[in-house]
Amino acid sequence: MQSSLIGLAVRIVAAIALVVVSFGYAITGNHSDVLMGAGCGIAIGVGVGLRGGSRGGPWTGILIGSIVGMAVALVAGGISGNRWGLITLPTLALAVGLIDGLDRSSLSGYRDMSRETLIVAVLLTLGFLPAHVAEGILLALQASDDFLLASILLVFPLLLMPLTALMAGLLTHRREGWRDARPPRLLILGAAVPPVLFAFLMATGTLQEGRGLSGLDLILGIAYLLGFFMVPLPAAAFLLGRAATTWLQPRLQVYGRLAEYLRAMWIPIGGFAVGYLTIIVLFAGFYGTLERFSPGAFAGVEAGSGVTDWLSFAFFTALGQDFLTVAPDSVGARLLVGVHLIFSAGWVVVLFAAVMSSIGPKLDRIARRHAEEGGE
């Protein structure tokens, strides 16, 4: 059991890392930003994927983890300086919204929402750790340099948990099946901690490099903080995440059924690939032989061209595409290319007919079983 969970976690990590890291480096060259997105995506994806239930499963974990990771990398890549305050709260709200959209019946009260938000906050705290290490936040904490700010950043998602849970509950309490009429007082008190803490940090100058705010500047700063960063932005992220998975879930269910069809077609697909590659290798040899005994049969052939060049030319010819450098020039070369195209197209047609006649009954049985399950 434990080995199967480890294997499942490894598959989820590999899939999310492949998606998020490639996406991250496509938009930013900052390693810390990519590491932040990959860490958050992997933490959320593995947590969701290993929990099981209707909201769990590897594909669900990969989906949610990839969305969270790409969102974090995208935002982090577009922000310079201290970006933790702008990233953490919307990311937490987005992840909770994605989970809420998958199975609304499981989150039917403020207690359920708080529990789910706490789990996500813990996962994000773990996901941010690699980026904390890369940016030297842990070293600053050990050296007592900006001790207060560094310690806050380490547990930032946990501090924002009550505020996120309260906001998510208020945006959801009109849903059918919601049990609680009012949020708990303890949740309201916990939601007040982040604004009070930020007011203290602004008043003491911790956030402004020693330039403390007071009076009207402090009031305007708190109003701006609440009016944008702590209310509308995370609320929009939560609603966006919930709407995304609510829309995606029924449309992605079809991919879960593809596994059965692919298992039934695995051997024919392998046979097609072997035959197709055999044709490519065979005609690559024909092309190379013709050029060796009839120099100039192909235009663009450079001196020292080897088997890889002819394999590439044969591969593109089989697809009906022109190769960039080599082209048939003599009558024999054009005839050979035409024969190759006929063989390739004929192989596709013949194998398709053979596959459909051999696996058609299996596909019909799978389709009938899915129809019966849907009727139930």
Side-chain angles (χ1 to χ4, degrees), residues 12 16 20 40-49 55-71 91 94-103 116 120 241 245 248 252:
I12 295 174
I16 295 176
V20 176
C40 292
I42 289 172
I44 296 295
V46 171
V48 172
R55 292 171 296 148
W59 293 110
T60 303
I62 292 171
L63 173 65
I64 293 182
S66 299
I67 293 175
V68 171
M70 289 189 295
T91 302
L94 175 66
V96 175
L98 289 168
I99 294 172
D100 181 48
L102 287 173
D103 191 358
E116 195 69 40
V120 174
T245 47
L248 282 172
L252 291 176

Side-chain angles (χ1 to χ4, degrees), residues 2-374:
Q2 185 176 1
S3 60
S4 62
L5 289 178
I6 293 175
L8 178 60
V10 170
R11 292 196 296 271
I12 295 174
V13 169
I16 295 176
L18 178 65
V19 173
V20 176
V21 171
S22 58
F23 178 83
Y25 279 117
I27 61 175
T28 177
N30 191 326
H31 301 307
S32 179
D33 295 340
V34 178
L35 189 61
M36 189 185 305
C40 292
I42 289 172
I44 296 295
V46 171
V48 172
L50 295 184
R51 288 176 63 190
S54 58
R55 292 171 296 148
W59 293 110
T60 303
I62 292 171
L63 173 65
I64 293 182
S66 299
I67 293 175
V68 171
M70 289 189 295
V72 171
L74 180 63
V75 176
I79 301 175
S80 59
N82 188 353
R83 55 205 189 277
W84 295 97
L86 182 60
I87 292 176
T88 307
L89 184 55
T91 302
L92 181 60
L94 175 66
V96 175
L98 289 168
I99 294 172
D100 181 48
L102 287 173
D103 191 358
R104 299 187 174 192
S105 60
S106 65
L107 302 179
S108 56
Y110 285 101
R111 178 176 297 181
D112 297 333
M113 192 68 73
S114 299
R115 183 194 67 248
E116 195 69 40
T117 308
L118 176 61
I119 294 173
V120 174
V122 172
L123 293 173
L124 279 181
T125 301
L126 297 175
F128 278 126
L129 277 179
H132 287 322
V133 174
E135 295 195 358
I137 292 176
L138 293 180
L139 295 177
L141 185 61
Q142 294 174 358
S144 297
D145 181 19
D146 292 332
F147 179 85
L148 178 60
L149 185 58
S151 58
I152 289 174
L153 288 179
L154 285 180
V155 295
F156 202 30
L158 296 175
L159 289 175
L160 296 173
M161 185 278 293
L163 177 62
T164 306
L166 177 62
M167 175 207 64
L170 292 175
L171 292 173
T172 313
H173 74 284
R174 294 184 180 275
R175 187 167 64 196
E176 184 179 357
W178 188 264
R179 297 190 305 264
D180 302 327
R182 297 179 181 179
R185 294 180 181 179
L186 186 61
L187 186 61
I188 296 175
L189 291 176
V193 171
V196 173
L197 179 60
F198 272 93
F200 171 77
L201 294 177
M202 286 189 291
T204 57
T206 306
L207 296 179
Q208 299 86 226
E209 299 179 353
R211 295 179 287 103
L213 301 179
S214 61
L216 182 60
D217 291 335
L218 180 61
I219 295 174
L220 292 176
I222 296 174
Y224 179 70
L225 186 70
L226 293 174
F228 181 72
F229 291 110
M230 286 194 168
V231 179
L233 190 61
F238 173 81
L239 294 175
L240 178 63
R242 188 172 67 181
T245 47
T246 300
W247 186 85
L248 282 172
Q249 186 181 21
R251 291 159 180 82
L252 291 176
Q253 287 178 349
V254 65
Y255 291 105
R257 300 176 178 177
L258 283 180
E260 293 186 72
Y261 290 101
L262 289 177
R263 280 195 294 269
M265 298 178 65
W266 180 247
I267 294 179
I269 290 175
F272 168 78
V274 170
Y276 208 70
L277 290 175
T278 300
I279 294 175
I280 290 174
V281 173
L282 182 64
F283 275 88
F286 290 161
Y287 295 140
T289 302
L290 179 62
E291 177 63 25
R292 182 171 297 275
F293 288 98
S294 178
F298 293 89
V301 178
E302 299 179 357
S305 297
V307 65
T308 55
D309 300 286
W310 294 115
L311 285 173
S312 299
F313 175 71
F315 176 78
F316 280 92
T317 301
L319 297 177
Q321 301 293 322
D322 293 333
F323 195 53
L324 294 178
T325 57
V326 180
D329 193 35
S330 67
V331 175
R334 295 193 185 97
L335 180 63
L336 188 60
V337 168
V339 173
H340 186 186
L341 290 172
I342 293 173
F343 266 89
S344 298
W347 179 253
V348 173
V349 173
V350 170
L351 190 69
F352 178 78
V355 166
M356 294 308 298
S357 63
S358 63
I359 69 171
K362 297 181 181 179
L363 300 182
D364 291 338
R365 286 196 296 270
I366 295 173
R368 284 196 299 269
R369 186 170 66 254
H370 287 163
E372 293 172 357
E373 293 173 356

